[in-house]
Amino acid sequence: MLNKYVKTCLVMMPLIGLSACTTLGPDFQTLEAKNLPDSWKNSASDSESDSESELEQTMQASAQWWKQFNDPTLNLLVERANTQNLDIEAAGLRILQARMILGINDSLGYPQVQVASGSLAKVYRNESSFNSAALSFDAGWEMDIWGKYARGVEASEAALYASIASYNDIAVTITSEVARNYINFRTFQERVLLSRRNIQIQQRVVHITQVQYDSGNVTELDVQQAKSQLYTTKAALPSLKLGMMQARNALAVLLGVMPGEIVPMLESEQLKAKVDAYNIEYGRADTKRTMTDDNTESIVPTPPMLDASIDASLVMRRPDLQVAELLAHAQSAKIGSAEAALYPSFSLFGSIGINSNTPSGSSFSFSDSLTLSAGPSFSWNIFQYGRIKNNVRLEDARLQEALTNYNKKVLLAVQEVSGALESYSLYREQKALRMSSVNASVRAFNISMTQYENGQIGFERLLNSVEKMTRSEDSYAQIKGNVANQVVALYKSLGGGWQINNGKAFISDSNRELMRQRTDWGDVLDEPQLLPVLGNRPTLADIEQTSSQLSIKGGNE
């Protein structure tokens, strides 16, 4: 009997040796971006070290770009959003899901069938009855000769790394949305302050006109025209307040709080002092306005100056491009898994058990009911009528689609950077012209008010100067917000800002505790789940290397 088992083992050994024989399918190669602008490509020259230094400085600046606005409230909002935002929390949970899927696929490298089964039955046959009892343990292992399971693990690892890059991509979007809505809130707030100040001026004009009418110097038409302009300015105020409310509520959603909870952060003592200084700057005279300049008292965040030269490598580090490349990697591995179905699969199986049938009233006897079987087996889809080959072709077409989508995302990234840079330049030019317009309109108003009070001009010219000044000041406030938002758009298009989450826990302590109470997680959730620490310009190799600690920890329990 022993010799038979030895012979069986000798037959199995070559099959076991084949279990890591080859891996079918293409090996994924790092993608190279095409059609990048020449001005964004690295160029070798004598000043290459200086260029590298400038590139490093740009990367450092873009890592926490919002701090260049020198606004403590904005800094606080960004920090809170990256801690509390629900989309970021959901992205962290998707990383955990990807880890579990990887653990599932990794476990397929072990015996896939390990089943213990048993039964106890009463059997009636004609007029006789029997007791039947069975207990068995079955095991089966399909050896990964063609790399089907290895490719599955490769695809799952790429999907895990893609979930980490997706987390970073969402962080980039959330950070830019916080900055954009905060800028919009402050822009509307400044426009409200301007509107209120202009309402005060127009109320004064109405009062002067009423005095002139009571004295018989003007007609009632002048009074009604002044009132009409005043009511028009007042009617625009609610829409500006609505814009403030919408921006505030958007910030509340981004921070994962109720709208009322964000108000204290937006109404700090520092802001109050700035608003008071702004009101003083714009209200030094009761009826006449002082000429403005590129005022430092503006409550719209002051954006940093941008360098028009952008290195292409900054664009290529965008997390969404990394997601696209990693998903293409995962799809490439699926081709090998599909190709494995074209070849025979080899397995080892074994079963040990007992099966006993005794007449009713008799005791079970297992002395002669032991069964044992073990050996190799194989299966091969011979007549598959093109199904497997077409499935391989399907996976290959999906890979090509993923590669095409990657190239499209590169083009969109280039378009976004180019658009942000050009828009920033044009808005700055427009801002300078708007400032000149404000200066001219304020000066015209001051002159017209003096001349009207002295009876040198008619009321229509005064009314016209008031209207132009109101419009030019409101437009200037809007253009300041537009310039700041283009800075936000540029840094978003460069993929900056995700570095704030380096080494951070991607699942909150409260969620970890809820999940532990609900489900047996073993030691998977014993420690905080931390993101890998990546440099400012990570490659796919960096992501894979620093993410290896997340790969299968706890996945096979």
Side-chain angles (χ1 to χ4, degrees):
M1 177 69 71
L2 180 61
N3 291 335
K4 292 183 179 179
Y5 288 133
V6 171
K7 291 180 180 180
T8 302
C9 292
L10 292 175
V11 172
M12 293 180 181
M13 290 302 295
L15 295 178
I16 295 175
L18 290 174
S19 61
C21 183
T22 186
T23 302
L24 298 175
D27 292 325
F28 187 77
Q29 301 295 326
T30 301
L31 302 181
E32 295 293 336
K34 300 178 181 179
N35 302 322
L36 286 177
D38 294 337
S39 59
W40 289 1
K41 289 184 177 180
N42 291 324
S43 57
S45 63
D46 295 337
S47 60
E48 184 176 357
S49 59
D50 295 336
S51 299
E52 286 295 327
S53 177
E54 291 177 2
L55 175 60
E56 187 64 27
Q57 291 177 3
T58 304
M59 288 190 298
Q60 292 292 342
S62 63
Q64 297 188 23
W65 54 264
W66 57 91
K67 291 186 176 180
Q68 299 180 61
F69 285 88
N70 296 316
D71 192 312
T73 302
L74 176 58
N75 296 341
L76 176 62
L77 292 173
V78 170
E79 182 181 349
R80 292 279 184 88
N82 278 275
T83 303
Q84 303 171 186
N85 181 265
L86 298 180
D87 287 330
I88 291 181
E89 180 72 25
L93 292 169
R94 287 194 290 273
I95 294 176
L96 186 61
Q97 295 169 31
R99 282 183 57 193
M100 298 305 104
I101 293 175
L102 175 56
I104 292 171
N105 284 326
D106 181 71
S107 66
L108 294 176
Y110 301 94
Q112 297 88 11
V113 178
Q114 300 174 75
V115 178
S117 60
S119 65
L120 180 63
K122 189 81 169 181
V123 181
Y124 294 94
R125 185 178 302 161
N126 296 330
E127 296 181 355
S128 302
S129 61
F130 301 88
N131 294 323
S132 176
L135 180 65
S136 67
F137 175 77
D138 302 303
W141 178 28
E142 180 185 346
M143 293 173 292
D144 196 19
I145 295 177
W146 313 114
K148 177 174 68 173
Y149 297 126
R151 289 299 190 189
V153 171
E154 179 184 348
S156 298
E157 285 181 339
L160 171 61
Y161 306 143
S163 69
I164 297 172
S166 178
Y167 183 100
N168 292 335
D169 184 42
I170 292 173
V172 169
T173 300
I174 295 302
T175 299
S176 62
E177 282 300 294
V178 168
R180 186 181 67 84
N181 281 284
Y182 177 72
I183 291 169
N184 290 343
F185 179 86
R186 293 302 186 211
T187 302
F188 277 114
Q189 190 174 26
E190 183 164 310
R191 293 174 67 190
V192 167
L193 294 175
L194 282 171
S195 180
R196 286 173 175 168
R197 178 58 186 160
N198 284 322
I199 287 173
Q200 293 175 358
I201 293 176
Q202 291 176 25
Q203 286 174 335
R204 179 63 176 167
V205 170
V206 170
H207 175 73
I208 293 174
T209 308
Q210 185 67 48
V211 172
Q212 295 275 23
Y213 171 71
D214 293 340
S215 302
N217 297 328
V218 298
T219 66
E220 184 184 0
L221 177 61
D222 293 344
V223 177
Q224 297 304 325
Q225 285 180 331
K227 288 183 178 180
S228 175
Q229 187 178 62
L230 172 63
Y231 295 146
T232 299
T233 304
K234 283 186 173 181
L237 187 57
S239 64
L240 299 179
K241 292 181 178 179
L242 178 62
M244 282 183 62
M245 182 268 292
Q246 290 174 336
R248 181 202 67 197
N249 291 350
L251 286 171
V253 173
L254 290 168
L255 267 66
V257 299
M258 299 300 292
E261 298 179 53
I262 203 172
V263 173
M265 287 184 277
L266 297 173
E267 297 179 355
S268 61
E269 289 298 323
Q270 182 181 12
L271 175 70
K272 184 177 182 300
K274 203 167 188 178
V275 171
D276 292 341
Y278 184 85
N279 286 331
I280 293 173
E281 174 72 18
Y282 274 77
R284 292 175 179 170
D286 191 15
T287 59
K288 299 178 182 179
R289 297 293 303 278
T290 56
M291 290 183 65
T292 185
D293 54 11
D294 196 1
N295 49 110
T296 59
E297 303 300 334
S298 174
I299 63 175
V300 177
T302 303
M305 292 293 294
L306 295 180
D307 186 358
S309 177
I310 302 295
D311 193 282
S313 61
L314 292 177
V315 180
M316 298 312 301
R317 67 174 187 162
R318 284 174 45 139
D320 62 329
L321 297 184
Q322 296 172 355
V323 172
E325 185 169 0
L326 286 164
L327 291 180
H329 186 174
Q331 182 56 44
S332 174
K334 292 179 181 179
I335 296 177
S337 295
E339 285 185 1
L342 289 169
Y343 302 92
S345 63
F346 296 92
S347 302
L348 299 177
F349 70 91
S351 177
I352 184 172
I354 53 176
N355 192 340
S356 178
N357 295 294
T358 61
S360 297
S362 301
S363 300
F364 287 109
S365 176
F366 299 110
S367 60
D368 58 351
S369 58
L370 177 66
T371 59
L372 173 65
S373 62
S377 67
F378 81 97
S379 64
W380 195 352
N381 296 309
I382 300 176
F383 302 109
Q384 40 88 17
Y385 305 104
R387 288 190 297 268
I388 298 176
K389 286 188 176 180
N390 284 327
N391 188 47
V392 174
R393 295 161 184 161
L394 172 63
E395 299 296 348
D396 185 69
R398 286 173 174 168
L399 171 60
Q400 195 59 41
E401 180 187 6
L403 297 176
T404 301
N405 288 335
Y406 173 81
N407 290 328
K408 178 183 176 181
K409 286 184 178 292
V410 172
L411 291 177
L412 289 176
V414 171
Q415 176 188 354
E416 290 175 6
V417 174
S418 300
L421 279 174
E422 293 174 6
S423 297
Y424 172 78
S425 177
L426 293 174
Y427 275 132
R428 280 189 56 82
E429 179 182 349
Q430 188 179 19
K431 179 186 174 184
L433 295 173
R434 288 291 185 187
M435 184 176 66
S436 299
S437 175
V438 170
N439 286 333
S441 64
V442 170
R443 177 64 177 160
F445 167 73
N446 290 336
I447 294 172
S448 63
M449 178 62 76
T450 300
Q451 291 181 346
Y452 179 73
E453 291 175 340
N454 295 330
Q456 296 175 307
I457 61 172
F459 177 73
E460 291 81 3
R461 295 191 66 182
L462 172 63
L463 207 62
N464 184 55
S465 66
V466 173
E467 181 180 3
K468 287 184 177 180
M469 182 184 67
T470 300
R471 289 182 178 178
S472 63
E473 289 182 331
D474 186 70
S475 296
Y476 182 60
Q478 291 184 62
I479 203 66
K480 285 190 291 186
N482 290 340
V483 172
N485 273 324
Q486 286 310 309
V487 173
V488 174
L490 176 64
Y491 281 115
K492 178 186 178 183
S493 65
L494 293 176
W498 54 264
Q499 295 90 336
I500 191 177
N501 294 318
N502 262 345
K504 164 190 166 185
F506 57 83
I507 299 179
S508 65
D509 291 340
S510 58
N511 277 347
R512 279 201 305 139
E513 186 59 30
L514 284 173
M515 295 166 68
R516 285 171 58 87
Q517 293 177 4
R518 190 170 55 235
T519 305
D520 178 15
W521 280 88
D523 64 351
V524 176
L525 298 180
D526 284 353
E527 300 294 334
Q529 309 299 295
L530 304 180
L531 289 165
V533 178
L534 300 171
N536 286 328
R537 188 167 41 164
T539 64
L540 290 186
D542 295 330
I543 296 176
E544 294 173 359
Q545 181 178 0
T546 56
S547 303
S548 59
Q549 58 181 331
L550 296 175
S551 296
I552 314 174
K553 180 184 176 183
N556 292 325
E557 289 191 356

